[in-house]
Amino acid sequence: MTVRTKGVDGDGPFLPDEILAQGDVVRRVAEIEPQIAEVAEEVYRRGVRDVVMTGCGDSLFAAMAARHAFSGFSRWLTHAMHALEYARDFYRTSDRDTLVCALSYGGETRRTLEAAIGARYRGAQVLAISVDKRGPIPQLADHFLPNVAPLERSNCRTGSFQAAYLELYLLAAHLAAQRGELDDAQLALVRGDLAELETVLHDFASEIRGRATEVAHMIRTAGHVHYLGGGEAHAATLYGAAKLDETSSIPTLPQDTEQFAHEAIFSLEPDSLVIVTALSGPFYERAVQVADAVRTIGAPTIGIGDDGAFASHVDQFIETPRLASGRFGMSIAVVPMQWMALADALARGSDPDRVRHKNVNSPLIREIPIWSEDDYRRHDPQGELLRG
């Protein structure tokens, strides 16, 4: 296959430029913090007891990472679930004290739209995060935040994933402030961390390309490719595996570190490549234990993490910078995964900007029938009425 030439300078794919632009995305998120604070105030004023974040693909992974911010700032149990799961079942648990965050980059993902309809039917508040306020999901929503990533020409999302995660992170901080659990000084520290992240991502995205490309050769000789991580690192590994699916169109096996130890480890072969993301914090030691077990079996390993000591537990290690506060490690860890996916695609002669089977994939997620208000009435006759 011949890779199409395009890119900003007319030579090569779009994806490298989009990977390098993620520091700028952080700056864009910081610029809309006043809007995020305003949404948090409106949500809190109307009353909120439960928070549900829902979407598909990268949007879901961003939500899965962001739920840890709600836990960290205010001990608030926050649910991240696939849009189909919420739309066809768990919407019943929502009411007027529920905030449902519906994530869709284009604002039109059919299953996420269905979830928003279900949330409205139950009388829940709906927050839409997407690139276009005119999309069908934002039009249904009570609140809107723009996904501030620049237009992405590649099908392998980078900046839009970062924007969704960071906007939810700031929403968690400002909701905690509304509840009196975060003061102005603590909010200022979060802003400082965001500014530091902008600089770190700008530098690291460029610096790590060579190293990530170097270790990516291990993917091409692997029988199976496993991605492992716990906590926010689990969301990062789901995202990283998706990038390889999108660029190289090869199957991957992403799992929570703990679940891997209870399941997939039984089928591990010596030619299986295991990529372990280990971020400092409560999930780190378990990553070390599982990485050591994998090496005992004889499978090759790549480690990605912000603690240099993890290098002794894997065959190849990519060290990521760590902010002084320890925040936003997930945002940094995904960058080498992006470069690895790009390098593997180019080595295989695949187009890293174009997903395989898009002619089938696109109608399946954008044109399929969805449940309407009448469907919710039929399946849930005791529910609330859809608000106008």
Side-chain angles (χ1 to χ4, degrees):
M1 172 189 286
T2 301
V3 177
R4 292 173 293 157
T5 57
K6 38 200 184 309
V8 173
D9 59 0
D11 182 20
F14 291 119
L15 184 54
D17 296 309
E18 292 171 2
I19 294 174
L20 293 169
Q22 290 172 97
D24 183 58
V25 171
V26 180
R27 175 184 56 80
R28 289 169 177 253
V29 170
E31 289 172 352
I32 68 163
E33 187 198 352
Q35 187 175 346
I36 296 171
E38 182 178 337
V39 167
E41 183 179 1
E42 292 174 359
V43 167
Y44 186 75
R45 185 173 64 247
R46 289 174 55 172
V48 59
R49 181 192 64 244
D50 301 316
V51 178
V52 176
M53 297 180 289
T54 189
C56 306
D58 289 352
S59 293
L60 176 62
F61 307 149
M64 291 176 66
R67 63 183 173 173
H68 294 275
F70 286 86
S71 170
F73 287 133
S74 60
R75 311 299 190 266
W76 198 331
L77 179 60
T78 304
H79 309 275
M81 64 180 67
H82 196 281
L84 177 62
E85 191 172 41
Y86 178 81
R88 298 291 175 94
D89 190 1
F90 284 96
Y91 78 93
R92 294 181 176 86
T93 65
S94 296
D95 58 24
R96 298 181 188 278
D97 293 326
T98 305
L99 171 66
V100 176
C101 303
L103 283 69
S104 168
Y105 177 60
E108 60 184 13
T109 304
R110 299 285 285 174
R111 195 59 65 206
T112 309
L113 174 59
E114 182 180 300
I117 294 171
R120 289 285 301 232
Y121 177 70
R122 295 294 305 183
Q125 295 188 61
V126 178
L127 164 64
I129 300 181
S130 72
V131 74
D132 189 351
K133 190 173 186 177
R134 298 166 296 181
I137 297 173
Q139 289 297 304
L140 269 179
D142 304 280
H143 317 283
F144 172 75
L145 288 174
N147 187 306
V148 294
L151 178 65
E152 293 178 317
R153 304 290 297 277
S154 168
N155 281 304
C156 185
R157 304 297 184 207
T158 53
S160 57
F161 169 77
Q162 296 279 14
Y165 164 66
L166 294 171
E167 288 174 31
L168 287 171
Y169 198 104
L170 286 179
L171 178 67
H174 281 282
L175 279 174
Q178 289 293 321
R179 288 161 56 116
E181 295 162 324
L182 220 61
D183 60 27
D184 289 343
Q186 291 168 315
L187 279 174
L189 291 175
V190 175
R191 294 187 193 101
D193 289 335
L194 204 62
E196 184 182 358
L197 177 66
E198 176 187 349
T199 301
V200 167
L201 273 184
H202 180 271
D203 295 338
F204 183 64
S206 176
E207 294 168 357
I208 203 59
R209 181 176 187 176
R211 175 59 177 156
T213 300
E214 177 186 345
V215 302
H217 78 274
M218 297 173 68
I219 297 173
R220 294 192 297 280
T221 59
H224 294 93
V225 181
H226 297 258
Y227 282 77
L228 307 181
E232 284 187 287
H234 180 216
T237 58
L238 289 167
Y239 169 84
K243 299 308 102 178
L244 201 58
D245 289 334
E246 292 163 353
T247 57
S248 293
S249 301
I250 63 172
T252 56
L253 301 167
Q255 274 195 307
D256 174 85
T257 309
E258 186 65 27
Q259 190 60 28
F260 172 85
H262 288 261
E263 182 188 338
I265 196 169
F266 300 123
S267 61
L268 201 66
E269 298 291 345
D271 68 343
S272 299
L273 173 63
V274 181
I275 302 171
V276 186
T277 302
L279 299 176
S280 300
F283 299 91
Y284 175 80
E285 287 301 326
R286 191 54 169 159
V288 168
Q289 294 163 0
V290 171
D292 287 345
V294 168
R295 295 185 78 186
T296 299
I297 294 171
T301 52
I302 297 173
I304 299 173
D306 55 10
D307 187 333
F310 195 60
S312 64
H313 301 280
V314 291
D315 297 310
Q316 297 289 338
F317 181 59
I318 298 176
E319 186 167 5
T320 59
R322 186 175 188 269
L323 304 192
S325 67
R327 292 192 177 109
F328 303 129
M330 193 281 306
S331 284
I332 303 169
V334 298
V335 176
M337 300 183 202
Q338 295 163 353
W339 285 124
M340 288 163 60
L342 172 67
D344 185 74
L346 294 177
R348 295 175 190 269
S350 299
D351 186 339
D353 289 341
R354 176 183 290 177
V355 293
R356 191 181 179 204
H357 304 316
K358 189 174 183 180
N359 61 321
V360 176
N361 156 263
S362 187
L364 190 62
I365 63 176
R366 291 185 173 86
E367 300 172 13
I368 52 172
I370 60 173
W371 277 13
S372 66
E373 177 187 350
D374 289 339
D375 291 300
Y376 282 102
R377 283 199 179 100
R378 184 169 65 254
H379 287 274
D380 187 14
Q382 302 303 316
E384 301 286 342
L385 292 177
L386 182 73
R387 292 179 292 168

